[in-house]
Amino acid sequence: MKTLELQFVNEEGKTVRLSVDAPRDDVTETQVASVMDVIIAANVFSSSGGDLIAKKGARLIDTTITEWTFA
C-alpha cells in the first residue's frame, strides 16, 4: 500500500502532515509541489498551531504488510 505524506509548516513553526492513501503511480514531485501550493493558498486546512503557511516536504511511503492468522 502506498501513502503520499505532505508536510507543511504552520504559523507556530510546527510540522503538520496530511496523508493521501493510494496516490497515482505516476505522480511527480512537480505535481505534488503544485498541489501543496494550492492547499496553502486556498487555506482550507488549519491546525492547532494555526494556518499552514509553507511547504516543508513530501514523501511517498510504500508499505508491505505480511499477515498471519492463527486459529
Side-chain angles (χ1 to χ4, degrees):
M1 180 174 125
K2 289 186 181 180
T3 303
L4 176 61
E5 181 182 86
L6 308 176
Q7 302 167 350
F8 297 91
V9 176
N10 66 15
E11 292 174 316
E12 289 185 350
K14 295 183 179 176
T15 301
V16 177
R17 292 174 178 85
L18 299 176
S19 294
V20 178
D21 291 335
R24 288 187 354 220
D25 286 333
D26 63 346
V27 69
T28 66
E29 182 178 348
T30 303
Q31 291 169 327
V32 172
S34 178
V35 166
M36 292 177 76
D37 288 335
V38 170
I39 290 170
I40 292 168
N43 199 28
V44 293
F45 296 104
S46 63
S47 67
S48 60
D51 294 337
L52 308 179
I53 60 169
K55 296 179 291 198
K56 182 174 181 179
R59 59 188 185 167
L60 188 58
I61 303 165
D62 193 355
T63 306
T64 302
I65 298 172
T66 303
E67 187 173 327
W68 293 286
T69 304
F70 301 103

